[in-house]
Amino acid sequence: MKVSICIGSACHLKGSRDVISILQKLVQESGLEDKVNLTGAFCSGNCEKGVCVTIDDGEEIYTVRPETAQAFFNDQILTRLGE
């Protein structure tokens, strides 16, 4: 699974660095390093929404904030992996 987190200037200002750190920690703690590939991406075109995240180059763009990163991980990543 490829999870792309926007690191463009608007998303950076809204906490993309923290979102990346939280997701990295959660992936590692869950032992999913071989199943989840976290990558950075530049502007997704939804700057007003916050930190934009896509899964497997999908069309759906998720808005993730540092305080919602755990829920995103549980609801989107773990669910898709059947964990």
Side-chain angles (χ1 to χ4, degrees):
M1 171 185 294
K2 178 182 171 187
V3 179
S4 299
I5 301 108
C6 182
I7 55 172
S9 56
C11 287
H12 175 75
L13 291 173
K14 293 179 181 182
S16 64
R17 183 180 205 134
D18 293 333
V19 169
I20 292 168
S21 294
I22 292 165
L23 292 178
Q24 284 175 328
K25 180 182 175 216
L26 293 169
V27 166
Q28 192 172 39
E29 286 175 352
S30 300
L32 297 173
E33 297 92 342
D34 59 333
K35 293 183 180 181
V36 178
N37 179 24
L38 298 175
T39 63
F42 289 102
C43 190
S44 302
N46 289 304
C47 302
E48 71 281 353
K49 292 187 177 182
V51 181
C52 298
V53 179
T54 59
I55 297 177
D56 291 332
D57 297 320
E59 292 184 23
E60 186 167 3
I61 298 174
Y62 299 92
T63 300
V64 182
R65 296 181 308 277
E67 59 272 16
T68 64
Q70 173 82 53
F72 172 79
F73 180 78
N74 294 340
D75 296 342
Q76 299 300 325
I77 296 175
L78 291 182
T79 300
R80 290 172 191 243
L81 292 174
E83 299 288 326

